[in-house]
Structures are given as structure tokens and as C-alpha cells.
Amino acid sequence: MVCEQLDASGGICASYYVDGNGGVPRPSGSRSSYRFEKGGGHWIFGSDPAVLTRIRSLSPVKTYRRKASVFLPDLDCYIPYPLQNHLYLLPARLRAKVVDDLTKSSGNGVVKTMKDWLAASFGKTLCELFFFPFHESYTAGLYARIAPQDAFKVPMDRAMILKGLKGKTPATGYNTTFIYPCKGLDHLIRQLESGCRLQYQKQAVHLDLKKKRVLFQDGTDLGYTSLISTLPLDVLVRISGARKIPTPDPYTSVLVLNIGAARGRRCPDDHWVYVPQSRSGFHRVGFYSNIDRSFLPATDRARERVSIYVEKAFLPGQRPDGNALSSQTQAIVNELISWGYIKDVEVVSPTWVEHGYTWQTPASAWRQEAISFLKGHDISSIGRYGAWRFQGILESMKDGFNSG
């Protein structure tokens, strides 16, 4: 039995459709609809042959080669991701400073936090130009007190950096290629759930560890012999009543603003763009329709529209609602218009991801203690938020297949 908290499966791994004529949600297949994702662009990267074969057997996919950039507003320039490997595009004065930083740095300083690691890895110039302001926004200010993690997202190869000061370097990173279902993530999820016994709107509010029962918000309960959970780990620990587990590690929430609009004259061709600073506080802009035209209304034969997602991070408890949400939404839209990314907005659809990114504090043992405690009570906490670590769709699906 699978119990789903929402009224549809997939969590943030889910497509939805919004009509351009007034912003009314429409079902899959509507020719006038934009396709969006609940948590922004979720592209499937990874190379596990068994999981890839399983995905392809469920839903046809296309393969794409990543095109991503860093936009530096103060210099009004785009530099291919990862920035540190394409420094030949920077002004000469900045390139000279980078070389000086790398020459002086021994890399032997004390590294406890993500900010420490960035400084030791890339030096003062690159950190001030991009890494510090970007991570300040991306982590909602936590980067100065959380441990270094997900280093594979920020490739660090000094030889490649020095080579990139002179000219182009090959694509690097964890997602140089990725796949996406031709019919949308919603089709893949429907195929996955077709073989399941599934109940919707079943929010777990308490675990009775002794009796092995789950109590739901609607007043019902279910017994279990063993339990597989993809709830965020801190939520699972809380509803289990495990008071001896230390204070949870932090997380950040993300406002994802999905936008359908006329394409602006300076709209990039990138799949997504990292932004170190913006007046309205967002850190990344993704372009669904630059990846695939299926994200646009089928009626857009002239290719004059664009489908965008924008990400802005928040600390827990800071979710904007009502007038605050309207104000922040308008600020983001206005800034994108001023940059020339969009014009004549048709649809603005905000979504909220409470647990957007999970972090660990230096020397924290909370994650390991929590997972071990739950395992001792026949509960497996899996997935991106259940395991409290960054992982993509493919690895999360692998967790599910292996656990099942």
C-alpha cells in the first residue's frame, strides 16, 4: 500500500499545465497550455543502466546536452558553466587577479564551512565576483555556517581553471547530458503508479513505533511490518516522537515562479542561468522551452513565446503569502522584463517547495543518528529528502526500486 500526502503522485517531480488565456489550469494535452514543473526544471541525469532502461520502458525520453551559463549583471556578460573553467571570457584585469589568487593560495587553510571551502578553492576574486553572492542567495545565507557538500556541483580542477584562462575547455560536471520524458514528468509518474495500490490525501501525522501503526490527518490509521518513507527526514523524526535525536540539520525552502510570456529580445538560449545577484533575490532562471518546445502552447507556431522558471531561496518560516507573495512575484517579473528576458506576460504561476535543499552543519551526526534510529524500528527513510542529501530523480527512483 502506498499512501500519498497530496492529491497527485510525484511530489515536486510532477508536471502541470496552465492555459495562457487567463491562467486557468488545464489537463495534459491542451493545445493552449504551458507545461510547467511544480519545483522548477527537473531533468534526469545519471548513468545507471538498469534505472535508465526502466524509465525508458515506462515513458519515451529525449536526450539533451546541457547548455548553462553564469550571468554577471555588473559586467553584462554570460560565461558558460562552470564559470571557473571559462575565465578567458572575463576582462583581462580580472583574469590577472584570478591567476594571482591561485598562485598565492596553498589550499591548506582551515575548512569548516561551505564559505571556507569556496575561498580555499577559488580565491578572493572569483568568490567576490560569483561564488559568495551566489551561495548567499542559493542557501538563504546559510553558506557561512553549513558544511561543504555537493562538491560535484562545483567542479574544482586547478589545471582546468588555468587552461580555461586561455580558451575553451570541454564540458564538465554531473549533468553534461540529461534526459526528459517526451510526454512530461506527469506521464512517467502515471506509468509508475499504475501498478500500485495507492491512496491519496493521506498525510501522516504520527508514528506509533511500538504498535507499528501510522496515524493520518483524516483520523484513519494503518499497521505495518516495515515502512518505507520519503517524507523529509526531520518531519519523519518529529512525528515518530524520537526526542533523543539531536536538533535537525537545516534546510532551505524555495519559491519557484513559473512564467509563460512573449520572448524578450535579450532572452538567452541557455537551458538555465546562474545569477550571483539580482534586485529581487532570485539565484537561478531556467528556460523550459529552450530545452524542449513541448513546454509551450502548441499554437505558438511562430516560436515567439518562452516558458521560464525562477528560483528564490528562503529560510524556514519565511514563506511569503498574500500581499508579500504578490509583491515578490511582481518584483521578479519586472526584473526579468528589465533584463529583456520576457515581455507581455501571459501566465504567472508560483509554487512552493518547503524542503527545497537540505544541508548539514559541520561535524553533525544528526542525519546518521536519525536514519539509524528509524532503521532500528523497521523504517527506511529514502529519497532526496528522506536521506537528507542532494540526489536527482534517477537516484531517487533507484532508491524506490531497490527498497520495493
Side-chain angles (χ1 to χ4, degrees):
M1 171 66 70
V2 178
C3 296
E4 166 61 53
Q5 176 175 323
L6 305 176
D7 58 4
S9 301
I12 63 171
C13 178
S15 304
Y16 70 103
Y17 298 79
V18 180
D19 194 289
N21 298 316
V24 180
R26 299 295 184 194
S28 171
S30 171
R31 289 179 57 81
S32 62
S33 295
Y34 288 90
R35 178 200 289 151
F36 296 134
E37 309 289 1
K38 287 186 177 179
H42 281 83
W43 320 111
I44 304 174
F45 58 85
S47 57
D48 188 288
V51 181
L52 287 170
T53 298
R54 183 77 175 273
I55 290 172
R56 290 189 173 102
S57 73
L58 293 166
S59 187
V61 301
K62 289 183 182 179
T63 301
Y64 304 87
R65 189 170 296 277
R66 183 194 69 209
K67 185 178 182 183
S69 295
V70 168
F71 176 50
L72 302 173
D74 289 348
L75 300 175
D76 193 26
C77 72
Y78 291 84
I79 297 180
Y81 169 88
L83 164 80
Q84 59 272 24
N85 290 2
H86 299 89
L87 298 179
Y88 71 97
L89 293 169
L90 286 179
R93 61 180 176 80
L94 289 177
R95 294 201 304 271
K97 287 184 177 181
V98 171
V99 172
D100 189 50
D101 290 344
L102 294 176
T103 301
K104 291 178 179 177
S105 174
S106 64
N108 294 325
V110 176
V111 173
K112 291 184 178 180
T113 67
M114 180 179 286
K115 186 175 183 179
D116 294 338
W117 180 79
L118 291 169
S121 299
F122 301 109
K124 179 180 178 181
T125 303
L126 286 181
C127 282
E128 290 180 350
L129 181 68
F130 174 72
F131 288 106
F132 282 177
F134 174 79
H135 283 83
E136 172 72 25
S137 296
Y138 171 48
T139 68
L142 293 179
Y143 81 120
R145 60 185 184 91
I146 56 176
Q149 63 190 71
D150 305 338
F152 62 91
K153 288 184 174 181
V154 191
M156 173 54 198
D157 182 332
R158 290 204 171 202
M160 190 66 74
I161 291 174
L162 293 172
K163 184 178 180 180
L165 285 161
K166 300 176 181 178
K168 290 184 178 181
T169 57
T172 57
Y174 66 100
N175 57 2
T176 54
T177 61
F178 55 90
I179 63 173
Y180 183 80
C182 301
K183 299 179 181 180
L185 283 175
D186 54 319
H187 180 265
L188 174 62
I189 297 303
R190 286 197 302 272
Q191 295 300 104
L192 271 172
E193 71 181 17
S194 63
C196 300
R197 286 196 303 135
L198 204 150
Q199 293 187 21
Y200 293 110
Q201 296 182 316
K202 304 292 286 187
Q203 181 180 353
V205 294
H206 179 67
L207 290 178
D208 187 323
L209 300 180
K210 291 183 179 179
K211 296 181 179 179
K212 288 194 171 182
R213 300 198 71 81
V214 185
L215 176 66
F216 298 100
Q217 191 174 40
D218 62 8
T220 62
D221 67 341
L222 283 174
Y224 64 89
T225 302
S226 60
L227 186 67
I228 301 169
S229 172
T230 60
L231 286 173
L233 184 58
D234 63 333
V235 174
L236 186 61
V237 169
R238 175 170 52 79
I239 67 172
S240 74
R243 294 183 178 85
K244 293 183 180 180
I245 302 298
T247 302
D249 281 330
Y251 69 89
T252 46
S253 304
V254 181
L255 171 66
V256 177
L257 195 63
N258 288 313
I259 302 170
R263 191 178 187 90
R265 61 182 180 82
R266 297 195 66 191
C267 185
D269 293 326
D270 294 275
H271 296 157
W272 56 86
V273 172
Y274 300 97
V275 181
Q277 58 211 29
S278 64
R279 294 191 306 274
S280 51
F282 58 82
H283 62 268
R284 178 162 54 182
V285 183
F287 302 85
Y288 295 117
S289 51
N290 285 351
I291 293 177
D292 201 279
R293 300 293 301 177
S294 63
F295 284 91
L296 293 175
T299 52
D300 184 31
R301 295 191 180 94
R303 301 192 173 190
E304 295 176 343
R305 294 171 175 163
V306 64
S307 180
I308 289 179
Y309 61 96
V310 188
E311 300 174 51
K312 180 176 179 178
F314 293 81
L315 293 174
Q318 293 185 351
R319 178 175 182 169
D321 289 313
N323 291 336
L325 178 60
S326 297
S327 177
Q328 297 208 17
T329 295
Q330 193 59 56
I332 291 171
V333 169
N334 289 344
E335 189 161 10
L336 293 177
I337 291 173
S338 73
W339 287 7
Y341 282 15
I342 57 174
K343 58 183 181 179
D344 301 330
V345 175
E346 287 188 304
V347 171
V348 178
S349 177
T351 65
W352 181 261
V353 184
E354 178 61 28
H355 287 74
Y357 293 96
T358 58
W359 312 104
Q360 295 181 44
T361 52
S364 171
W366 171 77
R367 173 183 175 273
Q368 293 86 344
E369 286 187 33
I371 290 174
S372 177
F373 169 82
L374 293 164
K375 194 170 184 179
H377 291 274
D378 298 312
I379 301 171
S380 298
S381 187
I382 66 168
R384 175 168 172 169
Y385 302 112
W388 207 262
R389 64 181 184 187
F390 176 81
Q391 60 186 50
I393 294 172
L394 185 141
E395 191 173 355
S396 293
M397 290 180 68
K398 182 178 181 180
D399 279 355
F401 294 151
N402 289 344
S403 296

